Each structure stands twice: as structure tokens, then as C-alpha cells.
């Protein structure tokens, strides 16, 4: 049978499985690639599975937008942590991960041929979702520190623009956008009657006294702000597939059409686990992430270890300060192709990172370094391999 053509030919292939295959063929490789955490969900999440099993009707479909107890608990967390009040103008929809929330949003607000503004470097699944929907990503470069350029965003808006996407804390760069910049973007979206899609999957991962800001908490933002959240990172829920979105109420019918068609309802057993996770004491996040309260524990401690090693590459790489998520985004001063460099690092030094080309960075050699999945000892070994590999390969 002849190969069929479809819209998928215009969509880039996911990079994680590609790099995963290279790792598989090079046993002993330490991965600084995939954006996951090393720790497990809180025990409260597992305990709530008994509540799911105790209800005979839980094998049936449930509400498209999520089970009521979870919606109530999420509303409380949004109010307490994000400053977002759920009212008559907005609502929560639970999703199978925040990637699904993004796809829901794009399909709900666009027609084929519409434009979505992405700030580069972008998160590759966002760009892929836009292409799948038959829309066009319009790329706006961030500044030399990967911070937003609101004036450039405003200049990129056309009659076909439907939304501006921001990610803070950012994937792939790890930077945190300032409240002032996010307010500017929100105002631009309000002025042009377009949506601000705010991806906040890494909201709990901030360091050095930097605090997370949710655009959905700004005055009068409910009508045009779409906020995306995830349990995958902070609660170690990657495979449980639970995220949620806060959307303007006028989008609920459209979002439910999308979600009912693709999913019917989020996995109910995972929703119970998420409800349990929200009961976890604050110490769970503090001990695993570290960040503000405990900078010498958890991921915050691993982050400092990684940064100390990467600083040896000054002169060989540009290393931009990153106060969020669990990534550093390196610009390597070489003419080498980024993917070729990644292959050599895996094959010759048994350490894996992600090439910047998959994040839309084609004007040089960029690498994303992820450190959330590693314990301190493994991270130390992995980053030493990376430093040694880059010093040898790039200078040879």
C-alpha cells in the first residue's frame, strides 16, 4: 500500500523517543534529557486509591470536566497558591495532563489557518499541537537572557492571531518571567481581544527567592486568560496523566466537545490519586523540591551541584541564569549540528541531553540539560560526563 499523506507529515517527530533509542543502544548512559522528577507521589495519593475501589460505580464514565471533589480541591489550591478565584466568569477542567489542556485550548479557540504566537525557544509539544490543528506558529525570539520581549510580541500580532503562549517557569530554559512582563502580555492580549495561554506546569519549582506569578490572578483577566497546570512534575505523577486548566466560562462548551471526543473523562482512578496528593502536607513539596524554604535539599540541591559543574564551561558555552523548573539551556560555541553533538555525547561519553533544534533554535548549537530526574550522586556523575564530553568534542 502506498504511503498516505496527512497533516502529520508537517509535524516534527517527538524528540524524547528518538534520544531514548540512542540511550537504549548505549547501555550505561545517564540521561539529562527527559523532564521528569526522581521522587514518587505522596503516600496520600496511594491511600486514596482505596476510596476509588470502594465505590462500585467508579468503573463508569464520570463528568467530562472532572469529579466534583477534585474540582473543589483544585479551586481551593488555585485561590491559596495562585491567587485565582473561581467564579462566574471562569471554570476548571481536569485533563489527562497539561499537554491535553493545551490541545483542548488550541482546538477550542482556532480555525485552520489561524496563528498562535510562541516565544522561542518554545516547548516542542506546543508547536506540534498547533501544527496538528492546522494552525501556524508565529515565532517571537526572547532576549539574550531568554526573557519575554512584549513589544516584539505586540508587533507579531495579525488579524489571524488567536493567542500568545507563555511558559513560566520555562521549559526549556528554566527562566522565570517577571510579573511586569506577564502583565504586559496580558494587557496586549486584552487590547487585541486574543487569549493569553499561560503554561504553569513548573509553578512550584522556583529558586533564589523568586516567586511564581499566575497571569490568571491579574485584575479582569478571566475573560481571555487560559491557565494550564500539571501534577506530573511537583507530585511525581508523570504516568498518572492528570493536569487541569482554568478557562473563561465562555469556552467551556467548546473544550468539553474536544475532551469528550478524545477522552470522554479524565481517568477517574488518577483523579482520586490527585485528590489524595492535594492532601499531602506542605513538607512533601519542600523536601523534594527544596526551593524557597529549603535550598539545600531535593531538586534545589541538585540544581546547585549541576550549576557549579556547568560553570566550568564558561567560554565554551553561554549559560543563562535560570531560577525555575529543572532545566539549563546551553548555547555551545561551535558550528556542530546540535543533534550530531547529542549523538556523540551519548555514544562516546554516555550522557544524554536534548538538542535545541527541537525547541525551534536553529541559529546555533543549543542543548537542554534536565536535572529533575536524578539523585545527587547520579547527577554529579552525569554532569561531569557532559562537561568532559563538551570540553573534548568542541575543542578537538
Amino acid at each position: 500500500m502506498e504511503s498516505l499523506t496527512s497533516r502529520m507529515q508537517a509535524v516534527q517527530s517527538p524528540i524524547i523517543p528518538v534520544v531514548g533509542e540512542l540511550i537504549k543502544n548505549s547501555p550505561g548512559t545517564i540521561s539529562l534529557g527527559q523532564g521528569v522528577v526522581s521522587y514518587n507521589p505522596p503516600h496520600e495519593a496511594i491511600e486514596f486509591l482505596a476510596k476509588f475501589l470502594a465505590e462500585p460505580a467508579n468503573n463508569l464514565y464520570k463528568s467530562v470536566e472532572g469529579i466534583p471533589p477534585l474540582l473543589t480541591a483544585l479551586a481551593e489550591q488555585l485561590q491559596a497558591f495562585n491567587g485565582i478565584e473561581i467564579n462566574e466568569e471562569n471554570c476548571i477542567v481536569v485533563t489527562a495532563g497539561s499537554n491535553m489542556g493545551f490541545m483542548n485550548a488550541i482546538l477550542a479557540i482556532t480555525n485552520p489557518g489561524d496563528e498562535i504566537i510562541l516565544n522561542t525557544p518554545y516547548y516542542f509539544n506546543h508547536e506540534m499541537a498547533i501544527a496538528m490543528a492546522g494552525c501556524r506558529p508565529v515565532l517571537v525570539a526572547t532576549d539574550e537572557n531568554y526573557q519575554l520581549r512584549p513589544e516584539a510580541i505586540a508587533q507579531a500580532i495579525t488579524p489571524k492571531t488567536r493567542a500568545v503562549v507563555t511558559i513560566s517557569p520555562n521549559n526549556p530554559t528554566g527562566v522565570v518571567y517577571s510579573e511586569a512582563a506577564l502583565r504586559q502580555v496580558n494587557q496586549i492580549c486584552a487590547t487585541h481581544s486574543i487569549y493569553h495561554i499561560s503554561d504553569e506546569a513548573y509553578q512550584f519549582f522556583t529558586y533564589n527567592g523568586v516567586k511564581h506569578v499566575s497571569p490568571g490572578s491579574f485584575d479582569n483577566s478571566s475573560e481571555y486568560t487560559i491557565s494550564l497546570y500539571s501534577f506530573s512534575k511537583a507530585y511525581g505523577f508523570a504516568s498518572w496523566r492528570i493536569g487541569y486548566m482554568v478557562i473563561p466560562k465562555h469556552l467551556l462548551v467548546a473544550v468539553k466537545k474536544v475532551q469528550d471526543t478524545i477522552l470522554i473523562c479524565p481517568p477517574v482512578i488518577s483523579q482520586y490519586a490527585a485528590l489524595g496528593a492535594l492532601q499531602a502536607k506542605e513538607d512533601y513539596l519542600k523536601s523534594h523540591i527544596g526551593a524557597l524554604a529549603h535550598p539545600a535539599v531535593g531538586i534545589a540541591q541538585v540544581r546547585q551541584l549541576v550549576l557549579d559543574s556547568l560553570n566550568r564551561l564558561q567560554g565554551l558555552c553561554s549559560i543563562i541564569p535560570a531560577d525555575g523548573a529543572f532545566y539549563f539551556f546551553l548555547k555551545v560555541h561551535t558550528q556542530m549540528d546540535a543533534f550530531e553533538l547529542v549523538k556523540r555525547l551519548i555514544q562516546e561519553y554516555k550522557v544524554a541531553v536534548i538538542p535545541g533544534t527541537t525547541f525551534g533554535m536553529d541559529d546555533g548549537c543549543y542543548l537542554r540539560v534536565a536535572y529533575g530526574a536524578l539523585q545527587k550522586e547520579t547527577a554529579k556523575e552525569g554532569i561531569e560526563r557532559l562537561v568532559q564530553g563538551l570540553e573534548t568534542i568542541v575543542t578537538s
Side-chain angles (χ1 to χ4, degrees):
M1 183 177 180
E2 289 187 16
S3 177
L4 297 176
T5 59
S6 80
R7 70 183 68 196
M8 291 303 121
Q9 288 185 305
V11 178
Q12 67 165 302
S13 295
I15 191 65
I16 299 298
V18 174
V19 173
E21 191 64 24
L22 292 171
I23 294 172
K24 180 181 174 183
N25 293 330
S26 186
T29 296
I30 295 175
S31 178
L32 300 171
Q34 194 162 24
V36 293
V37 296
S38 62
Y39 53 86
N40 294 322
H43 65 84
E44 291 90 344
I46 309 305
E47 289 173 354
F48 263 63
L49 298 184
K51 295 180 181 292
F52 168 83
L53 295 170
E55 173 51 62
N58 273 340
N59 63 304
L60 303 175
Y61 295 129
K62 300 298 178 183
S63 171
V64 174
E65 61 262 51
I67 59 175
L70 181 55
L71 294 172
T72 298
L74 290 173
E76 292 172 357
Q77 175 162 294
L78 285 162
Q79 178 76 67
F81 185 80
N82 304 92
I84 296 176
E85 179 186 359
I86 301 302
N87 50 40
E88 295 300 313
E89 296 179 349
N90 60 10
C91 58
I92 303 168
V93 176
V94 180
T95 59
S98 63
N99 271 5
M100 183 173 190
F102 186 83
M103 194 79 207
N104 285 352
I106 295 300
L107 291 174
I109 68 174
T110 65
N111 290 308
D114 284 345
E115 297 173 350
I116 305 291
I117 292 177
L118 297 180
N119 296 282
T120 56
Y122 53 65
Y123 172 43
F124 54 83
N125 281 140
H126 286 174
E127 189 267 347
M128 292 166 68
I130 292 164
M132 286 180 190
C135 297
R136 189 173 80 89
V138 173
L139 308 184
V140 174
T142 50
D143 69 14
E144 64 277 7
N145 292 316
Y146 303 128
Q147 293 289 335
L148 296 172
R149 296 164 58 232
E151 299 83 1
I153 292 172
Q155 291 172 1
I157 293 172
T158 75
K160 289 189 174 183
T161 305
R162 293 294 171 262
V164 176
V165 179
T166 62
I167 311 169
S168 183
N170 189 261
N171 178 9
T173 67
V175 304
V176 181
Y177 298 147
S178 69
E179 179 176 345
L182 290 170
R183 284 189 179 277
Q184 281 183 271
V185 173
N186 241 35
Q187 185 56 54
I188 290 166
C189 292
T191 300
H192 291 272
S193 296
I194 60 178
Y195 293 96
H196 180 180
I197 302 177
S198 173
D199 186 329
E200 302 173 39
Y202 299 88
Q203 61 176 334
F204 296 111
F205 297 84
T206 57
Y207 317 97
N208 297 327
V210 174
K211 293 187 178 181
H212 172 68
V213 178
S214 294
S217 68
F218 301 157
D219 292 341
N220 305 314
S221 65
S222 294
E223 186 177 349
Y224 54 88
T225 305
I226 298 170
S227 305
L228 306 179
Y229 302 97
S230 172
F231 276 72
S232 296
K233 313 304 179 185
Y235 293 102
F237 254 58
S239 71
W240 290 87
R241 306 313 305 139
I242 290 292
Y244 55 104
M245 56 196 307
V246 180
I247 60 173
K249 199 65 164 285
H250 64 257
L251 289 178
L252 180 59
V253 170
V255 166
K256 287 174 69 173
K257 286 179 183 179
V258 178
Q259 183 139 303
D260 185 73
T261 300
I262 297 173
L263 188 66
I264 298 183
C265 68
V268 178
I269 189 169
S270 296
Q271 291 190 69
Y272 269 77
L275 185 57
L278 292 175
Q279 316 304 312
K281 293 181 174 59
E282 193 175 343
D283 284 347
Y284 171 81
L285 294 180
K286 287 180 179 178
S287 63
H288 287 299
I289 299 173
L292 293 175
H294 300 283
V297 302
I299 289 178
Q301 185 182 34
V302 175
R303 173 186 177 274
Q304 190 58 52
L305 181 153
V306 170
L307 184 58
D308 290 344
S309 293
L310 287 179
N311 281 332
R312 287 164 39 200
L313 295 172
Q314 295 286 357
L316 198 64
C317 300
S318 295
I319 305 166
I320 301 302
D323 293 320
F326 37 74
Y327 304 114
F328 289 108
F329 199 66
L330 311 183
K331 181 175 184 180
V332 186
H333 302 154
T334 177
Q335 298 300 312
M336 283 188 69
D337 174 77
F339 186 66
E340 287 302 313
L341 179 54
V342 167
K343 285 199 294 186
R344 287 192 61 182
L345 286 168
I346 294 172
Q347 293 164 354
E348 298 173 25
Y349 291 89
K350 294 190 181 299
V351 61
V353 290
I354 302 298
T357 44
T358 199
F359 304 101
M361 300 298 279
D362 298 317
D363 62 337
C365 183
Y366 296 84
L367 303 174
R368 188 189 76 173
V369 179
Y371 54 86
L374 303 178
Q375 299 294 336
K376 184 171 67 172
E377 294 74 17
T378 312
K380 185 176 179 62
E381 174 64 23
I383 206 67
E384 285 298 316
R385 293 182 189 183
L386 176 65
V387 170
Q388 182 182 357
L390 288 175
E391 286 176 336
T392 304
I393 296 171
V394 175
T395 58
S396 62

